[in-house]
Amino acid sequence: MSTKRNLHDGWTLSGGREGQIEVDGLPAAVPGSVHTDLLAAGLITDPYVDQAETETAWIGRTDWTYRLAFEAGAEPFDGSDLVFDGLDTAARISLNGACLGETANMHRRYRFDVHDLIREGRNELEVHFTAPYTYAQAQRDRLGDLPNAYPEPGNFIRKAACNFGWDWGPNLAGAGLWRSVRLERWNIARIDAVVPRVTVEDGRGIVDLEVRLHKAVATDVELVCALAGTERSVRVTAGEDRAQVRLELDDPQLWWPIGHGDQPLYGLAVALLAHGQELDSWTKRIGFRTVELDTEPDGEGRPYTLKINGKPVWVKGVNWIPDEALFSRIDAPRLHRRLAQAVDANVNYVRVWGGGIYESEDFYDRCDELGLLVGQDFLFACAAYPEEEPFWSEVAAEARDNLERLTPHPSLVTWTGNNENIWGWHDWDWRDGFSDRTWGSGYYYDLLPKLVETVDGTRPYWPGSPYSGERDLHPNDPAHASMHIWDVWNDLDYTHYRDQRPRFVAEFGYQAPPTWATVRRMVTDEPLEAESPNMLWHQKAMDGQAKLQRGLEAHLPPVRDFDDWLYFTQVNQARALRLGIEYFRSLQPHCMGAIMWQLNDCWPVTSWAAVDGEERKKPLWYALKDVFADRLVTFQPDDEGKGEGVKLVAVNDSDEPWNDVVGFWKCSAEGRILGRALLKLEIGARDSATVELQEGSVPTGGEFLITGTESFPRATWFSKEDKDMDWAKAHWTAEARPVDGGVAVTVTAETVLRDLCLFPDRLDPDAAVDRALVTLIPGEQATFTVTSEALAADPAKWEALCAKPVLRAVND
């Protein structure tokens, strides 16, 4: 029988730097990191506040040593292994003074045979980390520099690229035992790996299992494989260490993405036996489904259409970065909260971006349960990567390890070779001066596709994001497969999303600062201003403030104070993504997906996220919930934006026909109704319809269109920008009343109220609200439900819920 014992308690940390901090025997948390240990001891200030990040830069340039003394019993075992699920990154591991080995990859698991070294009683384990900067710079000096989007050596070490800072993240490169450590002891044999390849053929569920064993004794053993009440036993003879086993299930219930069906999961178990006794076991849940990626050229280029169980899925996606800059603090409850926020925003797809990490089992398990599709990048981002040793072997081992680990998960549907590296090779002047050097293409076009096919074989692989399907095509051609749209944020107004006719948009986004409570957590500036020093420090994007200002000047009234700036930039972010996604959805089936950048943040920062680093929803999140709804109505310019007319596009992303009547009004800037129209919709399942509006229905000179309060999100169309509209100053009446767990605020419009939002976190940092970005015409009402026990218990604050700066409209 095997035993598996976590070695998480009793570690100490030693190391440091003269003139900074030096420790010897400091209590250390495992899983954890040097940063979290020093922070817990009060030796460094919170790197998320003000510019304290800079005060910790020395940590990643310093060696550190973790030590643990643990007891081992006298029980007889045939094998003993030390297993590390995550070593960050360049480490030398020793047990009882003997070196077990050296590692240089945070993205893979390591196992060391310690049977001849472990002793009864006290054992001493040491993990010495070389500073990541020391290791990476030495490799760079040895091989020669390669282009990187950031002036850091992160492409010369197999460590999360964003550890070295990004345009939304801090530089907190450090070291640590960031995932579990355990001692595994066993007799006769153990299970080394189980790789289930799950498919559906002719209505039958098929699981082809590859089981690898590690034997200490040359003897026959038995594998018992169980699925859905059926078992199959296989004998593995003394001279063998692996077996291939096929399990079949008649007419299994299919696993579907959310919005397309249910997510049935089946328990799969493998037991290893000898002489009638169980030696080891392995269990996972699997789901039966097929995955295809249709990229066959058509008359308009090359599509990028994801099909699950043969059915095309319109991808309503979000990009995902590590949910904490200090990765060991990402636990299952935090992941569950974030993924629930994705589902609540009508998201059906999460792209795990290539500059971060391969996520934990908790992440993929929860996506399996929720029906969230996952696209996983291999971990290369925005840089040229060397293919020379030791990197080629490290990448091969890392890819194989994670392919095997993640194969059981039905939510994982695609593998992608890299983020923007092929694009970088084409457009970012990478080829100058090193045309004969390796840069990563061998990984993307050779190593990784072969490993995906041989290790997995059930999921499609795509060389890069973006990538157009052929090496001689520009990788970001909108007519061919996946593309990224970043010229809008960097150079253009967000209305220019309509300039393209993409087949699939894998990245696009627009910035805004985080919520008020998060701003107050991240900066202590007084007075608080958009350009105050610490606000600027928490803006990592190049010229980010200027780009935000450009957007404000194009659309919104002049900013009077910080409250205006915060609210207006958040509104602009939400409008930008709503406009883009509505347009992309209006193009279906020509365009079959949009993955916005980005769902989450890893710390408090001005960024492209919909949910900020303190887990609070920005107005953008509410816009996503509307624009990713199954049934959507949107006004779009006719003739692809080249004419003066307007069309209405209705999109039905459900399995039921949509037979309905859409009513809309043409209104004056004062909110007076100038005309009404009714349109009958008869739209099939997963289809759309377009109606050209009659000339008299098209607004001009400050008029606008607005749909009624239907069962789908309200659509609007304005003939002028808010800064040019002759809005009446916003007036409303508001009433607050207690409800279970919070307060309901009902607002009655006396004028047009444009993008009305309520920000209860200004009164209670833990408060949340159920809606935002509500546009009303005179006489209409909207109720905002605030979840907050503190506010429910404090009626003195209810008046503040009904007035600025908590309750805001663009024209207030």
Side-chain angles (χ1 to χ4, degrees), residues 255-257 289-291 306-313 373 413:
W255 185 97
W256 290 95
R289 52 94 184 102
T290 63
V291 183
L306 184 66
K307 295 182 178 180
I308 306 298
N309 302 322
K311 178 182 176 182
V313 174
L373 300 169
V413 291

Side-chain angles (χ1 to χ4, degrees), residues 310-322:
K311 178 182 176 182
V313 174
W314 209 95
V315 168
K316 305 170 186 176
V318 290
N319 280 274
W320 174 275
I321 65 172

Side-chain angles (χ1 to χ4, degrees), residues 430-507:
W430 285 8
R431 285 174 279 189
D432 295 347
F434 75 110
S435 59
D436 59 341
R437 296 271 306 283
T438 65
W439 60 275
S441 61
Y443 301 137
Y444 318 137
Y445 296 123
D446 181 18
L447 176 66
L448 296 176
K450 288 178 180 176
L451 285 172
V452 171
E453 179 59 30
T454 57
V455 177
D456 184 332
T458 67
R459 295 171 174 87
Y461 169 84
W462 199 244
S465 184
Y467 183 64
S468 293
E470 296 180 24
R471 295 176 71 164
D472 58 353
L473 282 175
H474 190 281
N476 205 40
D477 186 332
H480 295 275
S482 64
M483 74 172 301
H484 294 187
I485 302 178
W486 282 114
D487 55 351
V488 168
W489 162 251
N490 286 316
D491 302 308
L492 304 170
D493 185 66
Y494 60 71
T495 56
H496 286 274
Y497 281 128
R498 298 191 185 112
D499 291 349
Q500 308 276 11
R501 274 181 55 82
R503 307 307 301 266
F504 188 95
V505 190
E507 277 190 25

Side-chain angles (χ1 to χ4, degrees), residues 361-374:
E361 292 299 305
D362 292 321
F363 175 91
Y364 294 97
D365 284 343
R366 192 61 180 147
C367 290
D368 292 344
E369 295 163 355
L370 294 172
L372 279 170
L373 300 169
V374 181

